[in-house]
Amino acid sequence: MANRRDFIKKTALGTLGISTTIGCKDLAKGEQKAPVLPADYATVKPIIISTWKHGFSANESAWNVLTNGGSVIDAVEAGVMVSEGDPNERSVGLGGLPDREGKVTLDACIMDHNSNCGSVSFLQGIKHPISVARKVMEDTPHVMLTGAGALKFALSKGFKEENLLTPESERDWKKWLEQSNYKPIINIENHDTISMLALDENNNLSGACTTSGAAWKMHGRVGDSPIIGAGLFLDNTVGAAAATGLGEAVIRTAGSAMVVEQMRMGKSPTEACKTIVERIYTIHKNHKDMDYLQVGFIALNKQGEYGGYSLRSGFDYAVCDGKQGNRMEDASFKMEWNEN
Ligand code: SD4
């Protein structure tokens, strides 16, 4: 894995007297722009944290919403939409890798500080499932819609149906078909899912999680990402957590809800993530999934403290606040890939 310090560059934030390590050159699609930060932000609120490198540009978008009068739920929605709409992100929305039948099927959920939540699973043909999830939250008596019902609902709300399978993803799927070996390796080059957590200056949390799920999954498979409590959970009196990695393992352990409960019991975000990763390891160490198992969590508490931890090496996340700007951080981890 490349050294994170290689990526870091100074930005104009220094001229505001804000200590800055912002920007990751290799993350830029075009020129990387620093978020516009008010100069007098001395605290760590607002703060945004999101999974993997695509979290970096997602954070920028969320930050712009938050610092231009948008709500924290608006911010997390806008943030993860960046990854959903990017055809070069092969694990989310448009361009996501398909299931073994060549279908791109999407899972997403969103949750606000009042514990309102909305979710869609096994949704096809809609580029921004997170926005459909938000509509489920706001415009229906339900939390979760799935498959054809979710699509029907999305169309009724004016979403446009489109082909999300890009030529690149179709090519990779055809190549995969030659061996048809299902072994979802989730690492820094081959990750899935953007999960984003944010805390605004009024102390309110929101979270969003969206993915095309594990590549080459069975048709109809739903992972942890649309499941409140598994892929995402928050309690506005405590903190928020979100997951990435093998969804089956996260569902088996109600991962994100458990991380929040660890924070409720007084653990720091990193310690809380570590405790649940250790639990997942204990449950899975003799499991058939173990040779490719990866899980990682990010967490953010009400004080604006954050952290992440993964089972195996190679998990990183993006953090954006008014003190240090936007940057990538490597999560601590339990083991290397060649250990069992
Ligand atoms: C899933 N949790 O569908 C997602 C995939 C993922 O990093 O997050 N991979 O199982």
Side-chain angles (χ1 to χ4, degrees):
M1 188 169 64
N3 187 327
R4 182 167 67 88
R5 278 170 302 187
D6 294 340
F7 301 151
I8 290 172
K9 64 181 180 183
K10 297 284 182 191
T11 76
L13 286 179
T15 61
L16 297 175
I18 297 169
S19 76
T20 125
T21 50
I22 186 168
C24 298
K25 285 189 274 194
D26 70 333
L27 302 176
K29 299 263 153 47
E31 192 190 338
Q32 199 63 257
K33 282 202 216 87
V36 182
L37 302 175
D40 58 351
Y41 272 172
T43 72
V44 289
K45 295 172 201 171
I47 180 166
I48 302 162
I49 174 169
S50 52
T51 53
W52 304 110
K53 280 191 171 54
H54 53 183
F56 191 89
S57 10
N59 277 2
E60 286 192 349
S61 173
W63 186 266
N64 285 335
V65 171
L66 260 188
T67 52
N68 283 296
S71 67
V72 63
I73 193 87
D74 289 340
V76 295
E77 180 187 4
V80 302
M81 282 174 76
V82 174
S83 304
E84 286 182 339
D86 183 348
N88 298 315
E89 287 302 343
R90 312 291 299 287
S91 56
V92 183
L94 177 66
L97 290 169
D99 63 17
R100 57 190 67 176
E101 296 182 15
K103 304 274 195 281
V104 180
T105 76
L106 305 174
D107 294 339
C109 73
I110 193 162
M111 189 164 189
D112 77 7
H113 64 287
N114 289 318
S115 294
N116 295 308
C117 41
S119 161
V120 289
S121 64
F122 191 48
L123 176 63
Q124 297 178 60
I126 302 289
K127 185 162 70 178
H128 290 301
I130 198 67
S131 301
V132 185
R134 185 166 177 186
K135 291 274 183 222
V136 172
M137 174 173 92
E138 291 176 344
D139 295 357
T140 80
H142 307 306
V143 164
M144 193 164 190
L145 292 178
T146 195
L151 176 60
K152 187 174 172 194
F153 171 72
L155 296 175
S156 79
K157 290 289 167 185
F159 289 87
K160 201 170 106 254
E161 194 169 2
E162 57 194 294
N163 176 23
L164 303 179
L165 184 67
T166 56
E168 291 73 24
S169 290
E170 186 172 11
R171 185 198 58 213
D172 289 355
W173 167 61
K174 288 192 171 145
K175 185 141 192 291
W176 178 81
L177 281 176
E178 290 166 15
Q179 304 285 327
S180 300
N181 180 21
Y182 184 68
K183 195 174 177 186
I185 299 295
I186 297 159
N187 61 23
I188 206 153
E189 290 90 26
N190 184 30
H191 56 76
D192 294 79
T193 306
I194 181 159
S195 298
M196 176 179 282
L197 310 172
L199 179 69
D200 69 13
E201 53 191 348
N202 301 316
N203 262 339
N204 285 324
L205 289 157
S206 281
C209 179
T210 177
T211 189
S212 51
W216 332 131
K217 60 194 174 185
M218 290 176 68
H219 189 60
R221 179 264 192 188
V222 171
D224 60 312
S225 303
I227 298 178
I228 299 292
L232 173 72
F233 191 69
L234 70 84
D235 178 327
N236 206 50
T237 64
V238 177
T244 183
L246 190 70
E248 283 75 6
V250 178
I251 295 171
R252 283 180 196 118
T253 51
S256 294
M258 292 301 155
V259 172
V260 172
E261 290 312 294
Q262 292 294 319
M263 291 194 285
R264 192 193 306 277
M265 290 190 281
K267 290 209 172 139
S268 72
T270 306
E271 279 299 315
C273 295
K274 181 167 187 252
T275 301
I276 301 311
V277 167
E278 293 281 358
R279 185 179 298 169
I280 291 175
Y281 172 71
T282 303
I283 289 170
H284 288 87
K285 64 183 180 217
N286 298 316
H287 195 278
K288 61 181 167 36
D289 291 351
M290 189 59 209
D291 67 331
Y292 57 79
L293 179 63
Q294 169 67 314
V295 289
F297 292 97
I298 53 172
L300 174 64
N301 71 15
K302 286 285 281 189
Q303 287 70 48
E305 297 164 336
Y306 65 89
Y309 193 87
S310 58
L311 177 65
R312 287 186 155 118
S313 57
F315 174 43
D316 60 359
Y317 52 89
V319 187
C320 187
D321 63 37
K323 208 168 172 188
Q324 295 186 70
N326 199 12
R327 69 272 184 192
M328 294 304 299
E329 300 201 4
D330 292 330
S332 302
F333 56 88
K334 180 174 175 61
M335 59 175 64
E336 292 290 351
W337 274 95
N338 53 11
E339 295 174 51
N340 253 320

